[in-house]
Structures are given as structure tokens and as C-alpha cells.
């Protein structure tokens, strides 16, 4: 892939070099012919046009070499003699070639229709002496343009590389957080299985293990995706609740209010499970009569809000000063990594009793190519 990109870039630059020099030569040839004709001069106009057009061929052919020398021997390092020597030698070589080629065209085509044209050596010496300063300026302009283009490419590459590294870092951080959630959920479920075994509810324990196996299998299949459709996330959450229902039986009631039109929306994977787990742990498990878990979703303009609430005990007055659990902390950190300031998470006591955790994030539906 790198070799192909390099070949394509080289071909792209060659086309640009040829197009620029052809345009420059065409403009010079047309200007020379029209200006001289407007001043009443008498020359072989077609020959003059061809000579003026073709005279720039050495500069066009040598431009890639000049660009290469500019990258290999950069002049911003003034104390490196070999850099200056390389460019002086290249400039002299291009000047000599340009003057020799231009003189040869004049001798062969005689565009000025002179009765006794000068010899090749006379023309070469005159053109080299008169074009000494202009060729130096032209060489310097090519170097400056080359340096500017290379600087822009380096800046674009650095920006692309920085963005790529930042994306990799974010993915690594999200994967680390996700791996932290999965063992946390696994340990809690295994503790629940141990509790069922101690209570002699072996059939329930077997059912919970089977549900856990199915849940983990699906989680591993989607382990590389940081975002999934809300429909899949709901399936994960309901599968987790099925496992918990084995433990709590009739003590756990469920209410779901998620409109079907919101199912395609992209949400972070495993975002609901820690919220549901937190609602069960602090709202249902501590009550002998159990309670109800309610999962809801709504959309307001371009904002999707997911809510999980219970009807258990309210939050204590100093709950904000206490350290939140690992599940809620990971939810907040993952949201911040994925959406930055475009998301919001809140925990509050409900007026009817219980606690509600809500997450607001951008409403995005994947395109057909991403689906």
C-alpha cells in the first residue's frame, strides 16, 4: 500500500510539473511572438514560437531533480557546505544545459531570420552570461516552492498521524474500560450463582449459568464494536435482566418504554447493563419485597436520552460526595471519551420514590454503508 501511494504521488507530481512548465512556456512563447509582431519586427514567427516554447524543456526535465535535492540537502542549514555545493552545482548544470539547448535551437531553426547567425559557442556564451542572474532566481524560486509544498505535506501528515494516534489511544482507553466492565459484571453474576447454590436453588443456578454463557457469547462476538444500535443494546440489557430474574424471581419487575423508531440509533455498547445493575443492586436487592426496574428512551431534536430508574430507596443527601461504583464511573468515562462535551449523565431522586439515572447523547443513525 505504501509503495502504491508513493508511485501515485510521484506520478501526480510529474503531471503537475509538466503542466506548470508547459503553461509557463506557452505564455512566454505567445508573449514573445505577439509583442515582437506588434512592434513591427520581422522574424520567422512559427520557428520563433517553437524555439521559445521548447527552450524551457531542460528546466522542466530537471525540476524533479531540483525538488529531490531540495529535500535531501535543505538550505535552512547554512553551515553545511555540502548542501550549498550540491545546489550550486545543480544550478550551474541546469543553466549550462538550458543555454546549450536554447543555442542549439537558434542555430538549427534560425527563428530571428538573421542572414549570418552567430555560432553555437557565441550564442551559448551570450545566453549564459545574460541569463546568469535570472537562472539563479528561477532555481531559488523552485527551491522555495518545493520547500513550501513539502512543509504543507509534512504538516498534513503530522496532523493525520496525530489524529490516528489519538483515535488509537481513545479506542485503547475505551477497550480498557469495557474490559473492566465485563469482569465486574461476571463476578457479580457468579456471586449470585453462589448464593443460589447455598440456598439450594440448583435449578435456578443452572438457568443463570446458561443465561450467563449465552450473554458472554454474544458479548464476545461484538467485542470489537464500541457503538451498537439501540436495539442490540436493549437485547443485551434484557438478557442481563433475564439472568437477574432467575435470582430475584417475582421480586424483580420490569417496565420497558423504548419506541421502535429509536432502535437504529447508535449508542455505546454495554451502556445500559451497568445502569441496570446499579438500579438492581441499590434499589431491588436491598428490599424484601423487591421492586420495578424501568428502562425508557426518548428523543428531543438531535439528542437521545436513555433512562433507567427503580422504585427503591432514594439517594442519601451526601451521595455526591461519596465515591460512585465502578459501573457508573465507567459509564461516565466512556461517554466522555466517545462524545466529549456532547453528552450528559445525571443521577437524581424521583419525586415518586426511587432513583433515576439518565444519559443524553447525540442521536445518530448509521448510514447504509455502516449498517
Amino acid at each position: 500500500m505504501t509503495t502504491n501511494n508513493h508511485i501515485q504521488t510521484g506520478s501526480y507530481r510529474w503531471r503537475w510539473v509538466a503542466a506548470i512548465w508547459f503553461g509557463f512556456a506557452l505564455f512566454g512563447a505567445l508573449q514573445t511572438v505577439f509583442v515582437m509582431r506588434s512592434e513591427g519586427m520581422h522574424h520567422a514567427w512559427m520557428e520563433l514560437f517553437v524555439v521559445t516554447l521548447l527552450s524551457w524543456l531542460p528546466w522542466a526535465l530537471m525540476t524533479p531533480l531540483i525538488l529531490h535535492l531540495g529535500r535531501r540537502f535543505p538550505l535552512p542549514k547554512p553551515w553545511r557546505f555540502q548542501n550549498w555545493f550540491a545546489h550550486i552545482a545543480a544550478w550551474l548544470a541546469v543553466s549550462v544545459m538550458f543555454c546549450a539547448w536554447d543555442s542549439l535551437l537558434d542555430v538549427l531553426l534560425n527563428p530571428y531570420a538573421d542572414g549570418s547567425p552567430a555560432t553555437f559557442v557565441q550564442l551559448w556564451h551570450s545566453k549564459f552570461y545574460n541569463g546568469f542572474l535570472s537562472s539563479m532566481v528561477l532555481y531559488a524560486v523552485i527551491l522555495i516552492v518545493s520547500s513550501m509544498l513539502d512543509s504543507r505535506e509534512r504538516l498534513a501528515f503530522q496532523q493525520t498521524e496525530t489524529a490516528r494516534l489519538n483515535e488509537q489511544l481513545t479506542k485503547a482507553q475505551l477497550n480498557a474500560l469495557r474490559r473492566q466492565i465485563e469482569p465486574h459484571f461476571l463476578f457479580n453474576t457468579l456471586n449470585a450463582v453462589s448464593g443460589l447454590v447455598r440456598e439450594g436453588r440448583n435449578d435456578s443456578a443452572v438457568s443463570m449459568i446458561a443465561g450467563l454463557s449465552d450473554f458472554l457469547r454474544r458479548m464476545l462476538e461484538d467485542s470489537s464494536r464500541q457503538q451498537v444500535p439501540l436495539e442490540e443494546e436493549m437485547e443485551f440489557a434484557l438478557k442481563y435482566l433475564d439472568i437477574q430474574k432467575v435470582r430475584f424471581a417475582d421480586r424483580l419487575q420490569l417496565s420497558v418504554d423504548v419506541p421502535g423508531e429509536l432502535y437504529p440509533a447508535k449508542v455505546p455498547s454495554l451502556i445500559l447493563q451497568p445502569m441496570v445493575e446499579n438500579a438492581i443492586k441499590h434499589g431491588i436487592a436491598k428490599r424484601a419485597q423487591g421492586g420495578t426496574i424501568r428502562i425508557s428512551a426518548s428523543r428531543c431534536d438531535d439528542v437521545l436520552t436513555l433512562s433507567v430508574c427503580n422504585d427503591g430507596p432514594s439517594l442519601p443527601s451526601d451521595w455526591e460526595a461519596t465515591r460512585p461504583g465502578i459501573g457508573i464511573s465507567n459509564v461516565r468515562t466512556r461517554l466522555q471519551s466517545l462524545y466529549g462535551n456532547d453528552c450528559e449523565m445525571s443521577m437524581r431522586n424521583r419525586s415518586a420514590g426511587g432513583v433515576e439515572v439518565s444519559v443524553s447523547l447525540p442521536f445518530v443513525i448509521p448510514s447504509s454503508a455502516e449498517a
Side-chain angles (χ1 to χ4, degrees):
M1 182 64 71
T2 303
T3 303
N4 292 337
N5 290 340
H6 180 72
I7 294 175
Q8 291 175 359
T9 302
S11 176
Y12 176 77
R13 285 193 170 187
W14 261 106
R15 289 196 296 268
W16 268 107
V17 168
I20 291 173
W21 277 112
F22 178 76
F24 186 77
L26 183 62
F27 174 80
L30 291 174
Q31 184 187 44
T32 299
V33 170
F34 282 112
V35 168
M36 287 187 172
R37 290 200 65 175
S38 66
E39 292 180 355
M41 298 182 179
H42 300 281
H43 300 305
W45 299 117
M46 182 56 67
E47 288 80 356
L48 180 60
F49 177 83
V50 172
V51 167
T52 307
L53 183 68
L54 295 180
S55 63
W56 295 103
L57 185 60
W59 280 104
L61 295 176
M62 292 299 291
T63 295
L65 175 63
I66 298 174
L67 298 178
H68 173 72
L69 292 175
R71 289 188 293 270
R72 185 172 181 181
F73 302 102
L75 286 183
K77 300 177 180 179
W79 300 113
R80 298 189 63 175
F81 173 76
Q82 61 269 31
N83 289 21
W84 287 93
F85 178 80
H87 287 291
I88 291 174
W91 160 63
L92 288 174
V94 177
S95 298
V96 169
M97 290 175 57
F98 171 74
C99 295
W101 173 250
D102 196 18
S103 301
L104 180 62
L105 291 175
D106 282 354
V107 170
L108 294 177
L109 299 179
N110 191 20
Y112 297 100
D114 293 334
S116 55
T119 64
F120 172 81
V121 175
Q122 291 174 333
L123 288 173
W124 178 86
H125 180 270
S126 174
K127 290 178 181 294
F128 183 80
Y129 178 78
N130 294 327
F132 184 85
L133 182 60
S134 60
S135 63
M136 181 186 298
V137 172
L138 185 56
Y139 187 94
V141 169
I142 296 175
L143 281 183
I144 293 173
V145 172
S146 171
S147 177
M148 293 173 60
L149 293 176
D150 288 342
S151 297
R152 189 180 66 174
E153 288 185 2
R154 284 193 298 269
L155 178 60
F157 175 77
Q158 290 174 356
Q159 291 174 342
T160 303
E161 190 69 10
T162 300
R164 186 182 66 84
L165 293 175
N166 287 336
E167 181 181 2
Q168 290 182 348
L169 177 60
T170 300
K171 287 183 177 180
Q173 291 173 337
L174 290 173
N175 284 328
L177 290 171
R178 179 175 180 145
R179 296 299 178 265
Q180 194 175 16
I181 291 174
E182 291 167 0
H184 174 67
F185 158 71
L186 179 60
F187 296 151
N188 286 350
T189 306
L190 291 177
N191 286 333
V193 172
S194 299
L196 292 174
V197 173
R198 293 191 192 97
E199 296 173 4
R201 298 166 57 187
N202 295 334
D203 292 341
S204 297
V206 171
S207 298
M208 182 175 282
I209 292 173
L212 175 63
S213 175
D214 182 50
F215 184 89
L216 291 178
R217 185 183 304 109
R218 296 192 61 180
M219 195 155 51
L220 289 174
E221 289 174 355
D222 292 333
S223 60
S224 62
R225 294 190 297 169
Q226 293 297 340
Q227 291 180 303
V228 297
L230 177 58
E231 182 178 10
E232 293 186 24
E233 184 62 18
M234 284 298 301
E235 291 178 1
F236 276 119
L238 294 177
K239 180 63 67 175
Y240 171 78
L241 284 166
D242 288 340
I243 296 173
Q244 294 300 330
K245 282 182 179 180
V246 176
R247 174 187 175 191
F248 292 100
D250 294 337
R251 294 174 56 204
L252 175 59
Q253 303 298 321
L254 175 63
S255 173
V256 177
D257 181 18
V258 180
E261 60 267 21
L262 301 182
Y263 276 168
K266 294 173 63 175
V267 299
S269 61
L270 287 180
I271 199 73
L272 287 177
Q273 183 270 327
M275 296 166 61
V276 172
E277 181 179 1
N278 190 70
I280 293 176
K281 179 179 179 181
H282 298 285
I284 306 300
K286 294 183 177 181
R287 303 175 67 194
Q289 71 273 28
T292 301
I293 300 297
R294 183 174 183 270
I295 303 176
S296 62
S298 61
R299 176 189 177 186
C300 181
D301 295 329
D302 294 329
V303 177
L304 174 67
T305 300
L306 305 175
S307 299
V308 176
C309 60
N310 59 39
D311 55 0
S314 299
L315 293 168
S317 58
D318 61 342
W319 70 271
E320 292 183 348
T322 61
R323 182 180 178 182
I326 183 174
I328 297 301
S329 296
N330 276 334
V331 169
R332 183 176 285 109
T333 304
R334 292 185 67 207
L335 288 171
Q336 187 67 30
S337 298
L338 284 170
Y339 304 107
N341 295 326
D342 294 333
C343 66
E344 182 180 357
M345 179 178 181
S346 64
M347 294 180 61
R348 63 182 182 86
N349 290 322
R350 301 172 64 217
S351 57
V355 178
E356 179 180 15
V357 179
S358 63
V359 170
S360 297
L361 47 89
F363 179 83
V364 177
I365 294 181
S367 62
S368 56
E370 297 174 331

